[in-house]
């Protein structure tokens, strides 16, 4: 059986279709990556600002020294409506059972201890979070150091990105 040679019209249409396919895939990947970068960056910046405010409230509660550390953690959680974990000295206090010191990466703890503030994305029980840590030092806490960590959920952004990915595919 002899192969039939294709005409120039068929070859140019095929080349054009392949070029359009490559261009479409490239634009889809770039669009997804830019949207992901922008949405997550905005969310992390907003989370950092909110956590800083919540840490100031918590710092005031710790500095007041009127309450026991367990009560400080609960009061901070109720005042800020946050998923927080507080380390006072060597003791850890959490507002949500599933989000505790075991959920905070060691690298993040070390970064907060060294730099005073840091953030990192984590996944706890299949739910994505950005964890922001703030050192509450700089206030006379009677020689006790305190660090505030807060888990900010990223579920709504994950769903948005999944929808965008579906549309682009």
């Amino acid at each position: 059986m002899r192969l039939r040679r294709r005409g120039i019209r068929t070859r140019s249409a095929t080349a054009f279709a392949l070029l359009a396919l490559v261009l479409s895939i490239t634009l889809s990947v770039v669009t997804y990556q830019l949207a992901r970068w922008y949405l997550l960056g905005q969310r992390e910046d907003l989370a950092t600002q909110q956590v800083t405010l919540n840490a100031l409230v918590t710092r005031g509660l710790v500095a007041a020294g009127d309450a026991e550390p367990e009560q400080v953690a609960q009061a901070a959680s109720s005042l800020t409506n946050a998923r927080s974990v507080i380390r006072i000295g060597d003791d850890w206090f959490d507002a949500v059972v599933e989000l505790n010191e075991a959920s905070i990466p060691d690298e993040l703890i070390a970064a907060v201890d060294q730099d005073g503030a840091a953030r990192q994305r984590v996944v706890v029980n299949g739910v994505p979070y950005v964890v922001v840590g703030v050192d509450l030092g700089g206030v006379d806490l009677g020689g006790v150091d305190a660090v505030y960590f807060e888990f900010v959920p990223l579920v709504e952004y994950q769903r948005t990105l999944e929808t965008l990915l579906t549309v682009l595919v």
Side-chain angles (χ1 to χ4, degrees):
M1 177 173 212
R2 198 170 116 177
L3 291 176
R4 203 172 129 192
R5 199 164 173 209
R6 307 216 187 265
I8 193 160
R9 192 177 299 172
T10 305
R11 286 184 286 174
S12 62
T14 303
F16 182 76
L18 288 175
L19 181 64
L21 177 65
V22 168
L23 185 60
S24 297
I25 290 171
T26 303
L27 287 175
S28 294
V29 168
V30 168
T31 299
Y32 178 79
Q33 290 299 329
L34 285 174
R36 181 178 185 274
W37 169 77
Y38 178 76
L39 287 174
L40 289 176
Q42 288 294 315
R43 180 59 177 145
E44 287 179 352
D45 291 344
L46 288 171
T48 301
Q49 291 173 4
Q50 185 61 49
V51 170
T52 302
L53 293 174
N54 294 345
L56 288 173
V57 170
T58 304
R59 183 165 75 173
L61 292 170
V62 172
D66 295 335
E68 293 295 319
E70 298 89 4
Q71 295 170 331
V72 169
Q74 291 303 320
S77 176
S78 65
L79 284 174
T80 61
N81 195 22
R83 296 165 179 89
S84 59
V85 178
I86 303 170
R87 182 185 76 194
I88 301 175
D90 291 331
D91 298 322
W92 291 86
F93 306 96
D94 52 66
V96 180
V97 174
E98 67 183 21
L99 302 174
N100 53 36
E101 70 273 6
S103 305
I104 302 171
D106 293 335
E107 304 88 41
L108 180 62
I109 296 170
V112 172
D113 288 342
Q114 180 180 355
D115 300 332
R119 67 184 181 201
Q120 184 175 344
R121 282 186 229 143
V122 297
V123 177
V124 179
N125 296 330
V127 179
Y129 293 94
V130 60
V131 182
V132 181
V134 178
D135 188 357
L136 299 180
V139 172
D140 181 17
L141 301 175
V144 176
D145 67 317
V147 181
Y148 179 84
F149 294 94
E150 186 173 321
F151 290 81
V152 180
L154 298 174
V155 173
E156 67 275 6
Y157 292 93
Q158 181 182 18
R159 288 185 188 138
T160 301
L161 290 173
E162 288 171 357
T163 301
L164 177 64
L165 182 63
T166 301
V167 168
L168 291 174
V169 167

